Amino acid sequence: MTQEERCIALIQFLLDERQEKNIPLPNSEAEQKRLLRGLMNVRPPHPVGQEFLQLQDEYLQEELRRRGVTDWRTLSPIRDGLYLWRGDITTLRCDAIVNAANSALLGCFYPCHGCIDNAIHTFAGVQLRLYLDEQMKEQGHDEPVGQAKLTPAFNLPCRYVLHTVGPYVGGRLTEAHRTQLASCYRSCLETAEQHGLESVAFCCISTGEFHFPRDEAAQIAIQTVQTYQKHSAIKVIFNVFQESDERLYQRLLGSHRPAEA
């Protein structure tokens, strides 16, 4: 089965599941992929059969192969134990990547939204939402701000995903916001070490839809991580997607690089 045939078959399954009869199949491959992503984004965490999962996994693994994978070990440290990488975090191979989640912890339900929560759930596959749904039902309440929850990564190249809910800044930035954001970074690192992980890649938590000022968020991220690394050998990758964020982290971290061995 070709990749286009997989895509069409998955679309048809999801449309049938929703009992949608009047949605035409787009002609272009790009639009077909967009429709499939949107359908996966809005799918509730209902059980699904192995036939669908096998086909979905084949499709997502081929998509990953086409997009390419970056191994964190090929990166050059910007400081001892610290790495800065601009790229798609869903293509990064490391022990764990961090997802800036919402308090329901089930992923982004807005079709093809540009947030990292949407991307991670899209490329991990529907298993991630199903897994988290079980965890949240057992927990019995929304995820508090500043904590971390570890899950398998399913179809992502990393081993695990660390989900953390950052502070939402709806008005003036407060000291409570700063404390909560620092707690997100610290909780992720503590959880990673509890599970014996060596490397963690952080996104820019709370700086998108949650409106935390980027400059101050980066300062908190760097300070919290560097303080933690004083008693830990864990390696941290600061992952950025925008060039402006890359320049910001470069400025805050400085241009120092460890001497080559």
Side-chain angles (χ1 to χ4, degrees), residues 4 11 25 30 40 45 57 61 65 73 97 101 136-137 148 165 193 205 213 215 248 253:
E4 184 177 6
I11 289 172
L25 182 69
M40 291 174 68
D57 291 353
Q61 288 301 309
R65 187 193 67 80
R73 295 180 185 277
I97 63 172
M136 295 305 288
K137 284 177 179 176
V165 181
E193 283 218 304
I205 302 167
D215 192 293
L248 171 60
L253 286 166

Side-chain angles (χ1 to χ4, degrees), residues 70-86 92 94 198-203 222 225-226 229 233-240 246 249-250 253 256-258:
T70 299
D71 193 301
W72 78 273
R73 295 180 185 277
T74 67
L75 305 177
S76 298
I78 196 165
R79 287 188 180 180
D80 289 336
L82 282 179
Y83 300 77
L84 176 62
W85 180 67
R86 180 159 68 98
L92 184 63
C94 60
E198 180 186 2
S199 56
V200 174
F202 282 100
C203 62
I222 292 169
V225 167
Q226 289 188 317
Q229 286 181 322
I234 197 166
K235 305 297 189 297
V236 170
I237 305 102
F238 289 119
N239 166 250
V240 296
E246 182 180 37
Y249 272 83
Q250 286 174 335
L253 286 166
H256 168 73
R257 291 181 182 273

Side-chain angles (χ1 to χ4, degrees), residues 17 93 170 199 229-230:
E17 185 181 56
R93 179 176 287 121
S199 56
Q229 286 181 322
K230 290 179 180 178

Side-chain angles (χ1 to χ4, degrees), residues 46-191:
H46 298 323
V48 65
Q50 280 301 124
E51 184 178 356
F52 174 86
L53 292 178
Q54 181 177 342
L55 185 60
Q56 176 216 242
D57 291 353
E58 291 173 356
Y59 173 81
L60 291 175
Q61 288 301 309
E62 175 59 20
E63 286 299 294
L64 179 62
R65 187 193 67 80
R66 294 182 181 189
R67 292 188 298 139
V69 172
T70 299
D71 193 301
W72 78 273
R73 295 180 185 277
T74 67
L75 305 177
S76 298
I78 196 165
R79 287 188 180 180
D80 289 336
L82 282 179
Y83 300 77
L84 176 62
W85 180 67
R86 180 159 68 98
D88 182 348
I89 201 169
T90 67
T91 66
L92 184 63
R93 179 176 287 121
C94 60
D95 283 341
I97 63 172
V98 173
N99 179 28
N102 58 54
S103 60
L105 231 62
L106 297 182
C108 172
F109 282 82
Y110 290 95
C112 304
H113 192 251
C115 68
I116 190 170
D117 198 15
N118 187 290
I120 286 174
H121 275 263
T122 294
F123 294 109
V126 300
Q127 297 99 315
L128 182 55
R129 182 169 286 169
L130 291 166
Y131 185 94
L132 281 163
D133 183 55
E134 291 183 2
Q135 299 292 304
M136 295 305 288
K137 284 177 179 176
E138 182 177 338
Q139 180 166 292
H141 57 80
D142 283 352
E143 184 75 359
V145 173
Q147 297 186 12
K149 194 174 254 72
L150 188 78
T151 69
F154 298 102
N155 287 286
L156 296 167
C158 56
R159 295 172 58 201
Y160 300 98
V161 179
L162 283 157
H163 305 263
T164 189
V165 181
Y168 177 81
V169 182
R172 182 178 61 87
L173 184 68
T174 67
E175 193 59 34
H177 292 135
R178 297 182 181 94
T179 300
Q180 289 172 330
L181 185 62
S183 180
C184 289
Y185 285 89
R186 192 164 47 251
S187 295
C188 286
L189 292 169
E190 290 170 352
T191 303

Side-chain angles (χ1 to χ4, degrees), residues 11-24 35 39 42:
I11 289 172
Q12 194 59 58
F13 176 93
L14 294 171
L15 289 177
D16 289 346
E17 185 181 56
R18 292 168 57 86
Q19 299 183 339
E20 297 276 5
K21 305 295 183 183
N22 300 317
I23 297 181
L35 175 57
L39 289 169
V42 301

Side-chain angles (χ1 to χ4, degrees), residues 31-47:
E31 286 302 310
Q32 290 169 5
K33 289 183 177 182
R34 182 172 177 81
L35 175 57
L36 175 58
R37 176 170 181 164
L39 289 169
M40 291 174 68
N41 294 157
V42 301
R43 186 183 188 275
H46 298 323

